[in-house]
Structure formats: C-alpha cells, structure tokens
Amino acid sequence: MAPHRKSRPPSPMGIRTPALATAALTSVALLSQTANASPSEEPRPSLEEVEKKVGDLYRQAETASEKYNAAKEKTTKQKKRVDTLLDDVARRTEKLNDAREELGTFAAAQYRTGAAAPDTASLLLADNPQDYFDQTQLMDRLTSRQKQSVDDYVTQQTATTEKRQEASESLETLTRTQSSLKTSKADVQRKLATARDLLSKLTTEEKARLAAIERQKQEEAQRKADELARQQAADAERRRQEAAQSTGTSTGTGSATGTSGSASTVKADKALAFARAQIGKPYVWGASGPGSYDCSGLTQAAWKAAGVTLPRTTWDQVKAGTTVSVNSAQPGDLVFFYDDISHVGIYIGDGMMIHAPKPGAYVREESIYYMPIHSVVRPA
C-alpha cells in the first residue's frame, strides 16, 4: 500500500500560480514607483526652440508695432478732423441762432402790427422750415428783407444739421480707431512679455550658447555683405570703364550712384548723417525720436532731416519711392525685410545698413543679410 501523503493546507492569500505571483509583484513595484515619483512637469524646450520662439515673438511684436503706428497716425488725423468739424458746427450754430433771433424780431413786429405773427413763430419751431414754406403762404406776406432773413435761416439750419451729422460720424470713426490703437498696443506688450519670460528662464550656459548662435548669424550675414560690396565695387568699376571708353578718355567719372553732388545724393547724404547720429539710441516700439526709435520711426526721421516726408509705417514707406534691385542699392535707400514687410533699415553701402533692430537693442549698423530681404526702395 502506498504511503498516505498529507495535503498541504492552502495559503491564506489563496492559491497563486508562479505567473500570477510575478505579475502581482510587478504591479506592486510599479505602484510604488508611481507613488514615490515627483509630479510630472512640462518638457523643457530646447535652446533652438527658445531662439526660434523668441525671434518669432519679436517679429510678431514688430508687426503689431506697425499696426499700432498706423492706428496712432489714423487716430491723430481723425481727431484733428473731429476738432475741425466741431468748431465748424459751433460757428454754424452761432449763425443759426443769429438768424433765429432776427426772425424772432420780425415775428414780434408782426405781432404788434397784427400781421402773420403766428406763422413766423411756427416757422421758428418747425423741424423743417422748407416743408413749412411749402405748406403755407407765409412768404407772400413777408418783405424782401424778411424773406432774405428766412432764406438765411433755412440755409444755416440745413448746413448745421449736415455738419452735426458729419461730426457724429467722425466721432464714431475716432472711437473705432482708438479701440484699434488700444488693441495693437496690448498685442505688442503681450508678445514682448512672453519673449522676456522665455529668456528669463534660460540658464547661464544656455544664454552663452544663445549668444554664440547670434554671433554665427552675424558672421554669416557679414560674409554676404562683404560679397555684395565686392560685387557692387566691380559693377561700379565696369561702368566707369564703359563711360571712359564712350568718351574716349581713361578717366571717366561715371559711378553707381549717379552724378556727384546731385540733389538726390545730397538728400541721401543728409538722411544718412542723421541716421548715424542716432546710433546707440534704444529701440522703443512706437517711437519716432528724438531719444528712441522703432525701425520705421528711424527711417522716417532720417529722411525728414533731408527734407523728404515719408509715411509712418513700413507698409506705406515701401510704396513711397522706386523699387530697385539689391545689387543696385545706393546709400540712403530703404531696405525692407520679411514677407510681411514688418522691418526696415536705411542702406549705407557695402551691404550694410543702419536700423533700430528690436526690443532690448540699440540703433546700430548691421548687414542687410541679417534678415530675409523683401525689397529695396529709393525714396522719391
């Protein structure tokens, strides 16, 4: 007979297979790790992502700045128009009151003589005097002087009503432009605040690396500027030789910039002299001098010093002259950047410009290749 084997009592945790036991231990370990882990944090952006984001924000802020400049200019013009209209309405109202007073004098005289006083009084109270005339025979009972006074009154009332309506519409337009101005200002401030916040979170090492990336961009832009300078010098020499050959002499004076001392050259020189004098002054969005500038504020002020009035915004300045090729750029020309034409500088030659770059920077000389070029315009 086989020996009797005593069965093993069941485990208090119940019967588990080896696979189930392993899974249970794994679950416990994972739960323990989850419990001990710190709360999840948003992934930190790479330095390249920060640089791109900050650059995009500065560009967006500059675009918003140009919208602010446009709204500010429109608001200023609209306010002047409203003030003029209100002054006109006040003068016309005064004339209307004088005409009404004269009619009142006639009405009183007619009342004393028993004439058509009630009709004249009704005229003064009528909403539309001309309609009143069409419905009565008042004019037949007035003297020539009285008729003239009535005509003057009707004319003044009509003109005053029209001017009041025009002033009211202009006030509504002013309100809209002021709202647009406020919106653009808030948009600029919001984007700049976001850019500052991103930069403030960089470590010292990251800031150093960001500065190195900036230097590389500057060096590449300068290389392209030097290449353009060589090309322009070669083109100028070729034109000089062609001019010399056409005149039968070896000492021609033709150049890429036209006749020396021409009116356009003198103006360009004055604009450049002004721009150079602003180097070192801070970029401030919406500013047009004398202590600070944004990009279009600087170019506008520079050409104003030369006696040329440019519009305020980049979008209008790009239309204020003749478009030329980059290779044909001359000192004083305006160089516009980006597809949305949100930045501008003034060309000084050799592939370089003077411009007000961005928030936190100062008016400086820089290669025109630091940013993607949109077009070059020679102010009229």
Side-chain angles (χ1 to χ4, degrees):
M1 177 181 291
H4 178 71
R5 299 179 63 182
K6 185 182 293 184
S7 62
R8 182 180 299 175
S11 169
M13 297 295 294
I15 300 175
R16 294 182 182 272
T17 65
L20 288 176
T22 301
L25 289 174
T26 302
S27 298
V28 170
L30 289 174
L31 288 173
S32 177
Q33 291 175 4
T34 302
N36 294 329
S38 58
S40 61
E41 298 179 355
E42 293 184 2
R44 184 180 179 84
S46 68
L47 187 61
E48 289 72 18
E49 290 173 336
V50 171
E51 184 207 18
K52 183 179 185 306
K53 182 65 174 177
V54 169
D56 289 345
L57 284 167
Y58 279 150
R59 275 194 58 203
Q60 292 167 19
E62 194 155 34
T63 300
S65 295
E66 290 303 306
K67 291 180 180 179
Y68 171 86
N69 292 335
K72 185 178 180 180
E73 188 174 44
K74 187 175 181 180
T75 298
T76 300
K77 291 179 179 178
Q78 192 63 32
K79 189 176 185 305
K80 289 180 179 178
R81 175 169 174 75
V82 168
D83 290 341
T84 299
L85 285 171
L86 291 178
D87 288 342
D88 192 12
V89 168
R91 287 192 298 270
R92 291 179 182 278
T93 300
E94 186 176 356
K95 291 181 179 179
L96 182 62
N97 290 337
D98 291 342
R100 182 182 289 113
E101 185 177 348
E102 187 169 359
L103 280 180
T105 300
F106 289 142
Q110 289 174 333
Y111 182 77
R112 287 193 298 271
T113 60
D119 293 288
T120 307
S122 298
L123 166 65
L124 296 174
L125 298 175
D127 292 331
N128 191 328
Q130 192 60 58
D131 290 345
Y132 182 79
F133 291 143
D134 294 340
Q135 299 170 16
T136 69
Q137 302 299 318
L138 175 61
M139 294 298 287
D140 294 336
R141 298 195 293 273
L142 298 177
T143 66
S144 59
R145 182 183 174 188
Q146 290 172 325
K147 288 179 180 179
Q148 184 60 50
S149 296
V150 170
D151 288 341
D152 290 344
Y153 175 76
V154 173
T155 300
Q156 291 296 337
Q157 187 186 56
T158 301
T160 302
T161 300
E162 291 175 353
K163 285 297 179 182
R164 282 175 178 165
Q165 178 62 30
E166 190 176 355
S168 176
E169 292 173 355
S170 292
L171 279 170
E172 291 177 0
T173 301
L174 177 60
T175 300
R176 289 194 296 271
T177 55
Q178 287 175 329
S179 176
S180 177
L181 182 67
K182 184 178 180 180
T183 299
S184 297
K185 182 177 181 179
D187 193 21
V188 175
Q189 293 173 330
R190 183 169 55 253
K191 287 177 169 56
L192 293 181
T194 303
R196 286 193 297 268
D197 182 61
L198 283 171
L199 292 173
S200 68
K201 294 178 180 178
L202 296 179
T203 64
T204 302
E205 180 183 354
E206 287 173 331
K207 289 179 180 178
R209 287 173 55 201
L210 195 62
I213 293 174
E214 176 69 11
R215 284 194 298 274
Q216 289 178 355
K217 289 175 61 178
Q218 294 278 3
E219 290 169 359
E220 176 61 18
Q222 186 60 54
R223 183 190 65 76
K224 292 182 179 179
D226 293 341
E227 183 179 334
L228 175 62
R230 288 192 293 271
Q231 180 63 47
Q232 288 181 326
D235 291 343
E237 175 62 20
R238 175 178 52 79
R239 283 189 288 268
R240 187 193 68 78
Q241 293 179 357
E242 290 174 352
Q245 292 173 359
S246 66
T247 58
T249 175
S250 61
T251 57
T253 57
S255 69
T257 58
T259 303
S260 177
S262 67
S264 59
T265 302
V266 170
K267 289 181 178 179
D269 288 345
K270 289 181 179 179
L272 285 174
F274 180 93
R276 285 193 176 94
Q278 312 315 307
I279 291 177
K281 293 184 178 180
Y283 173 101
V284 174
W285 65 270
S288 56
S292 58
Y293 297 89
D294 64 12
C295 66
S296 56
L298 176 63
T299 51
Q300 183 190 48
W303 272 98
K304 182 179 180 180
V308 176
T309 300
L310 292 180
R312 179 62 178 90
T313 69
T314 54
W315 304 315
D316 290 328
Q317 288 182 7
V318 75
K319 305 171 188 174
T322 303
T323 301
V324 298
S325 68
V326 174
N327 284 352
S328 301
Q330 298 176 8
D333 289 350
L334 302 179
V335 187
F336 296 89
F337 302 90
Y338 301 111
D339 290 339
D340 62 355
I341 320 176
S342 58
H343 191 76
V344 62
I346 184 167
Y347 191 65
I348 60 176
D350 295 335
M352 302 294 287
M353 66 177 170
I354 296 173
H355 71 143
K358 58 186 178 182
Y362 298 84
V363 176
R364 66 193 184 200
E365 292 186 10
E366 196 155 54
S367 166
I368 61 174
Y369 291 102
Y370 181 71
M371 295 166 283
I373 298 172
H374 175 274
S375 58
V376 180
V377 171
R378 188 159 299 149

